[in-house]
Amino acid sequence: MAKHRIAVIGLGKISQDQHLPVIDASGEFELAAVVSTRGLSQGGVPSFRTPAELYRAMPEIGIVAVNTPPDVRHAIAREALAAGKDVLLEKPPAATLTELADLEALAEAKKRVLFATWHSRFNPAVEAARTLLAEAGLRSLRIEWRENVKKWHPGQDWVWEPGGFGVFDPGINALSIFTRILPAIPFVRSAELTYPSNRQTPIAAKLVFASADPAAPALTADFDWRETGGETWHMLIETADGRSARLFKGGAALEVDGRVTVEAPSEEYQHIYRHFAGLLDARRSDVDGAPLRLVADAMLVGRRLTTDAFDW
Ligand code: NAP
């Protein structure tokens, strides 16, 4: 079967690290063009400064991946859907809930496929954790997601601007797993958001959740971008039947009562593109706003604390 011809919009870190190499090695996709405001090129395919130039010059390209920062994603995705393209969105899929609802509605109206990716969900141990919680019930779950912003977002000033999400940029990855594995819908009960004195987004956040689960499990999250001793991306779980489990390595591994039950290389983006190919073949969209809703709710109920100024 012919490969899907796709254009990648925004050739920043995640496009270079994941999308371009994964498309290059894919049996289902072929890179047809790129759009780069800086004029970067890739693999000899045509490069355009704006999506509009791409759509004019190569109207036959029917699929785009939007890998820009989130605050400009809505306008770019809207333009793509309006031009009749199927669209893959990097996470977070939009800067606001209403922008995401607008994209969903437009995709439906235009009969286009819209895929809001949550890369962390494509880790091998996530479904095993979901099954464990469905079978064993949940007593408590603590998310600990700590990393060094200087290592993971070097010089990316957009993360500190309104719409840039701050520490929720990685935190939403944890929330995408959390909303996938929990047996019942979680709600944000309270949040403590710590802002550097010179920045517009939080560098740390502590969340306490409530849940629709009648067993009322204790649910908390601790996100911090000030970690200098290596990253921690794990969830500590106590099941209702007394087992203790840890989903770790960002969702690539699971241990139950001290024994590793799942551990496999993380191939998040290979799975993303395989899933996208399936959606395109079925002409079906996949848009889940649950992780974005939790971030928005944390901002709605959050208490603001101020800490030292942040500079690169
Ligand atoms: P980045 O390195 O800053 O790259 C974003 C790219 O988008 C820029 O290099 C630029 O590419 C393009 N861009 C920037 N501003 C734009 C604008 N106003 N209009 C159009 N294009 C613009 O950021 P990133 O780390 O790749 O992150 C991008 C998205 O991927 C974020 O939503 C992030 O959460 C997500 N993500 C990142 C990682 C990671 O490890 N960094 C992992 C998973 C997901 P051109 O100069 O080529 O136009």
PDB file of all heavy atoms in Angstrom, residues 178-196:
ATOM      1  N   PHE A 178      -2.156   9.368  33.801  1.00  0.00           N
ATOM      2  CA  PHE A 178      -3.080   9.340  34.956  1.00  0.00           C
ATOM      3  C   PHE A 178      -4.536   9.195  34.492  1.00  0.00           C
ATOM      4  O   PHE A 178      -5.279   8.339  34.977  1.00  0.00           O
ATOM      5  CB  PHE A 178      -2.851  10.664  35.679  1.00  0.00           C
ATOM      6  CG  PHE A 178      -3.580  10.908  36.962  1.00  0.00           C
ATOM      7  CD1 PHE A 178      -3.407  10.078  38.052  1.00  0.00           C
ATOM      8  CD2 PHE A 178      -4.390  12.031  37.100  1.00  0.00           C
ATOM      9  CE1 PHE A 178      -4.047  10.350  39.251  1.00  0.00           C
ATOM     10  CE2 PHE A 178      -5.031  12.307  38.293  1.00  0.00           C
ATOM     11  CZ  PHE A 178      -4.864  11.453  39.370  1.00  0.00           C
ATOM     12  N   THR A 179      -4.936  10.017  33.516  1.00  0.00           N
ATOM     13  CA  THR A 179      -6.325   9.980  33.047  1.00  0.00           C
ATOM     14  C   THR A 179      -6.606   8.720  32.234  1.00  0.00           C
ATOM     15  O   THR A 179      -7.764   8.339  32.069  1.00  0.00           O
ATOM     16  CB  THR A 179      -6.657  11.225  32.200  1.00  0.00           C
ATOM     17  OG1 THR A 179      -5.610  11.419  31.234  1.00  0.00           O
ATOM     18  CG2 THR A 179      -6.770  12.464  33.049  1.00  0.00           C
ATOM     19  N   ARG A 180      -5.576   8.072  31.747  1.00  0.00           N
ATOM     20  CA  ARG A 180      -5.752   6.821  31.002  1.00  0.00           C
ATOM     21  C   ARG A 180      -5.901   5.633  31.954  1.00  0.00           C
ATOM     22  O   ARG A 180      -6.687   4.729  31.712  1.00  0.00           O
ATOM     23  CB  ARG A 180      -4.564   6.609  30.053  1.00  0.00           C
ATOM     24  CG  ARG A 180      -4.536   5.293  29.324  1.00  0.00           C
ATOM     25  CD  ARG A 180      -5.580   5.216  28.218  1.00  0.00           C
ATOM     26  NE  ARG A 180      -5.716   3.840  27.743  1.00  0.00           N
ATOM     27  CZ  ARG A 180      -6.809   3.331  27.177  1.00  0.00           C
ATOM     28  NH1 ARG A 180      -7.868   4.088  26.965  1.00  0.00           N
ATOM     29  NH2 ARG A 180      -6.856   2.083  26.794  1.00  0.00           N
ATOM     30  N   ILE A 181      -5.119   5.617  33.047  1.00  0.00           N
ATOM     31  CA  ILE A 181      -5.083   4.392  33.873  1.00  0.00           C
ATOM     32  C   ILE A 181      -6.088   4.400  35.014  1.00  0.00           C
ATOM     33  O   ILE A 181      -6.419   3.343  35.541  1.00  0.00           O
ATOM     34  CB  ILE A 181      -3.668   4.111  34.432  1.00  0.00           C
ATOM     35  CG1 ILE A 181      -3.226   5.172  35.448  1.00  0.00           C
ATOM     36  CG2 ILE A 181      -2.655   3.973  33.304  1.00  0.00           C
ATOM     37  CD1 ILE A 181      -1.889   4.846  36.133  1.00  0.00           C
ATOM     38  N   LEU A 182      -6.577   5.578  35.403  1.00  0.00           N
ATOM     39  CA  LEU A 182      -7.472   5.627  36.555  1.00  0.00           C
ATOM     40  C   LEU A 182      -8.842   5.015  36.230  1.00  0.00           C
ATOM     41  O   LEU A 182      -9.395   5.285  35.167  1.00  0.00           O
ATOM     42  CB  LEU A 182      -7.667   7.083  37.005  1.00  0.00           C
ATOM     43  CG  LEU A 182      -7.242   7.371  38.439  1.00  0.00           C
ATOM     44  CD1 LEU A 182      -5.781   7.049  38.635  1.00  0.00           C
ATOM     45  CD2 LEU A 182      -7.534   8.803  38.821  1.00  0.00           C
ATOM     46  N   PRO A 183      -9.380   4.230  37.159  1.00  0.00           N
ATOM     47  CA  PRO A 183     -10.686   3.626  36.898  1.00  0.00           C
ATOM     48  C   PRO A 183     -11.826   4.649  36.876  1.00  0.00           C
ATOM     49  O   PRO A 183     -12.874   4.403  36.292  1.00  0.00           O
ATOM     50  CB  PRO A 183     -10.888   2.647  38.049  1.00  0.00           C
ATOM     51  CG  PRO A 183      -9.561   2.513  38.732  1.00  0.00           C
ATOM     52  CD  PRO A 183      -8.792   3.742  38.419  1.00  0.00           C
ATOM     53  N   ALA A 184     -11.657   5.811  37.544  1.00  0.00           N
ATOM     54  CA  ALA A 184     -12.725   6.821  37.588  1.00  0.00           C
ATOM     55  C   ALA A 184     -12.135   8.205  37.324  1.00  0.00           C
ATOM     56  O   ALA A 184     -10.937   8.423  37.499  1.00  0.00           O
ATOM     57  CB  ALA A 184     -13.401   6.797  38.959  1.00  0.00           C
ATOM     58  N   ILE A 185     -12.996   9.124  36.920  1.00  0.00           N
ATOM     59  CA  ILE A 185     -12.521  10.459  36.536  1.00  0.00           C
ATOM     60  C   ILE A 185     -11.940  11.204  37.735  1.00  0.00           C
ATOM     61  O   ILE A 185     -12.588  11.308  38.786  1.00  0.00           O
ATOM     62  CB  ILE A 185     -13.700  11.285  35.960  1.00  0.00           C
ATOM     63  CG1 ILE A 185     -14.197  10.646  34.668  1.00  0.00           C
ATOM     64  CG2 ILE A 185     -13.291  12.722  35.708  1.00  0.00           C
ATOM     65  CD1 ILE A 185     -15.467  11.280  34.141  1.00  0.00           C
ATOM     66  N   PRO A 186     -10.706  11.734  37.605  1.00  0.00           N
ATOM     67  CA  PRO A 186     -10.153  12.559  38.677  1.00  0.00           C
ATOM     68  C   PRO A 186     -10.521  14.036  38.511  1.00  0.00           C
ATOM     69  O   PRO A 186     -10.683  14.524  37.394  1.00  0.00           O
ATOM     70  CB  PRO A 186      -8.641  12.376  38.505  1.00  0.00           C
ATOM     71  CG  PRO A 186      -8.456  12.090  37.055  1.00  0.00           C
ATOM     72  CD  PRO A 186      -9.736  11.515  36.519  1.00  0.00           C
ATOM     73  N   PHE A 187     -10.673  14.724  39.656  1.00  0.00           N
ATOM     74  CA  PHE A 187     -10.925  16.175  39.665  1.00  0.00           C
ATOM     75  C   PHE A 187      -9.804  16.860  40.447  1.00  0.00           C
ATOM     76  O   PHE A 187      -9.307  16.286  41.413  1.00  0.00           O
ATOM     77  CB  PHE A 187     -12.234  16.502  40.388  1.00  0.00           C
ATOM     78  CG  PHE A 187     -13.408  15.701  39.933  1.00  0.00           C
ATOM     79  CD1 PHE A 187     -13.829  14.588  40.645  1.00  0.00           C
ATOM     80  CD2 PHE A 187     -14.097  16.053  38.785  1.00  0.00           C
ATOM     81  CE1 PHE A 187     -14.912  13.838  40.220  1.00  0.00           C
ATOM     82  CE2 PHE A 187     -15.181  15.302  38.349  1.00  0.00           C
ATOM     83  CZ  PHE A 187     -15.593  14.192  39.062  1.00  0.00           C
ATOM     84  N   VAL A 188      -9.452  18.066  40.078  1.00  0.00           N
ATOM     85  CA  VAL A 188      -8.466  18.806  40.870  1.00  0.00           C
ATOM     86  C   VAL A 188      -9.187  19.423  42.061  1.00  0.00           C
ATOM     87  O   VAL A 188     -10.120  20.207  41.886  1.00  0.00           O
ATOM     88  CB  VAL A 188      -7.792  19.923  40.042  1.00  0.00           C
ATOM     89  CG1 VAL A 188      -6.767  20.668  40.897  1.00  0.00           C
ATOM     90  CG2 VAL A 188      -7.124  19.345  38.799  1.00  0.00           C
ATOM     91  N   ARG A 189      -8.763  19.046  43.279  1.00  0.00           N
ATOM     92  CA  ARG A 189      -9.385  19.638  44.465  1.00  0.00           C
ATOM     93  C   ARG A 189      -8.642  20.914  44.869  1.00  0.00           C
ATOM     94  O   ARG A 189      -9.242  21.911  45.223  1.00  0.00           O
ATOM     95  CB  ARG A 189      -9.383  18.631  45.616  1.00  0.00           C
ATOM     96  CG  ARG A 189      -9.998  19.199  46.884  1.00  0.00           C
ATOM     97  CD  ARG A 189      -9.885  18.238  48.048  1.00  0.00           C
ATOM     98  NE  ARG A 189     -10.777  17.106  47.908  1.00  0.00           N
ATOM     99  CZ  ARG A 189     -10.580  15.930  48.474  1.00  0.00           C
ATOM    100  NH1 ARG A 189      -9.504  15.728  49.207  1.00  0.00           N
ATOM    101  NH2 ARG A 189     -11.441  14.962  48.323  1.00  0.00           N
ATOM    102  N   SER A 190      -7.308  20.859  44.825  1.00  0.00           N
ATOM    103  CA  SER A 190      -6.527  22.052  45.156  1.00  0.00           C
ATOM    104  C   SER A 190      -5.186  21.980  44.435  1.00  0.00           C
ATOM    105  O   SER A 190      -4.753  20.902  44.011  1.00  0.00           O
ATOM    106  CB  SER A 190      -6.314  22.163  46.668  1.00  0.00           C
ATOM    107  OG  SER A 190      -5.535  21.076  47.116  1.00  0.00           O
ATOM    108  N   ALA A 191      -4.562  23.131  44.304  1.00  0.00           N
ATOM    109  CA  ALA A 191      -3.261  23.179  43.626  1.00  0.00           C
ATOM    110  C   ALA A 191      -2.439  24.308  44.217  1.00  0.00           C
ATOM    111  O   ALA A 191      -2.966  25.357  44.577  1.00  0.00           O
ATOM    112  CB  ALA A 191      -3.459  23.395  42.125  1.00  0.00           C
ATOM    113  N   GLU A 192      -1.144  24.049  44.314  1.00  0.00           N
ATOM    114  CA  GLU A 192      -0.196  25.068  44.778  1.00  0.00           C
ATOM    115  C   GLU A 192       0.772  25.288  43.615  1.00  0.00           C
ATOM    116  O   GLU A 192       1.471  24.355  43.205  1.00  0.00           O
ATOM    117  CB  GLU A 192       0.543  24.493  45.988  1.00  0.00           C
ATOM    118  CG  GLU A 192       1.238  25.484  46.841  1.00  0.00           C
ATOM    119  CD  GLU A 192       1.904  24.756  48.015  1.00  0.00           C
ATOM    120  OE1 GLU A 192       1.210  24.507  49.018  1.00  0.00           O
ATOM    121  OE2 GLU A 192       3.089  24.428  47.896  1.00  0.00           O
ATOM    122  N   LEU A 193       0.764  26.476  43.064  1.00  0.00           N
ATOM    123  CA  LEU A 193       1.531  26.752  41.845  1.00  0.00           C
ATOM    124  C   LEU A 193       2.643  27.740  42.188  1.00  0.00           C
ATOM    125  O   LEU A 193       2.370  28.838  42.686  1.00  0.00           O
ATOM    126  CB  LEU A 193       0.619  27.355  40.771  1.00  0.00           C
ATOM    127  CG  LEU A 193      -0.682  26.574  40.503  1.00  0.00           C
ATOM    128  CD1 LEU A 193      -1.583  27.352  39.549  1.00  0.00           C
ATOM    129  CD2 LEU A 193      -0.373  25.198  39.939  1.00  0.00           C
ATOM    130  N   THR A 194       3.886  27.354  41.928  1.00  0.00           N
ATOM    131  CA  THR A 194       5.032  28.199  42.292  1.00  0.00           C
ATOM    132  C   THR A 194       5.628  28.839  41.049  1.00  0.00           C
ATOM    133  O   THR A 194       6.079  28.129  40.136  1.00  0.00           O
ATOM    134  CB  THR A 194       6.093  27.356  43.023  1.00  0.00           C
ATOM    135  OG1 THR A 194       5.484  26.781  44.176  1.00  0.00           O
ATOM    136  CG2 THR A 194       7.271  28.213  43.438  1.00  0.00           C
ATOM    137  N   TYR A 195       5.594  30.184  41.042  1.00  0.00           N
ATOM    138  CA  TYR A 195       6.064  30.946  39.880  1.00  0.00           C
ATOM    139  C   TYR A 195       7.390  31.632  40.188  1.00  0.00           C
ATOM    140  O   TYR A 195       7.504  32.298  41.232  1.00  0.00           O
ATOM    141  CB  TYR A 195       5.055  32.055  39.513  1.00  0.00           C
ATOM    142  CG  TYR A 195       3.762  31.574  38.923  1.00  0.00           C
ATOM    143  CD1 TYR A 195       2.793  30.965  39.720  1.00  0.00           C
ATOM    144  CD2 TYR A 195       3.490  31.761  37.573  1.00  0.00           C
ATOM    145  CE1 TYR A 195       1.597  30.525  39.173  1.00  0.00           C
ATOM    146  CE2 TYR A 195       2.288  31.326  37.021  1.00  0.00           C
ATOM    147  CZ  TYR A 195       1.348  30.711  37.814  1.00  0.00           C
ATOM    148  OH  TYR A 195       0.170  30.277  37.279  1.00  0.00           O
ATOM    149  N   PRO A 196       8.396  31.538  39.288  1.00  0.00           N
ATOM    150  CA  PRO A 196       9.565  32.417  39.440  1.00  0.00           C
ATOM    151  C   PRO A 196       9.104  33.871  39.365  1.00  0.00           C
ATOM    152  O   PRO A 196       8.171  34.201  38.610  1.00  0.00           O
ATOM    153  CB  PRO A 196      10.436  32.062  38.232  1.00  0.00           C
ATOM    154  CG  PRO A 196       9.969  30.707  37.792  1.00  0.00           C
ATOM    155  CD  PRO A 196       8.496  30.670  38.106  1.00  0.00           C
TER     156      PRO A 196
END
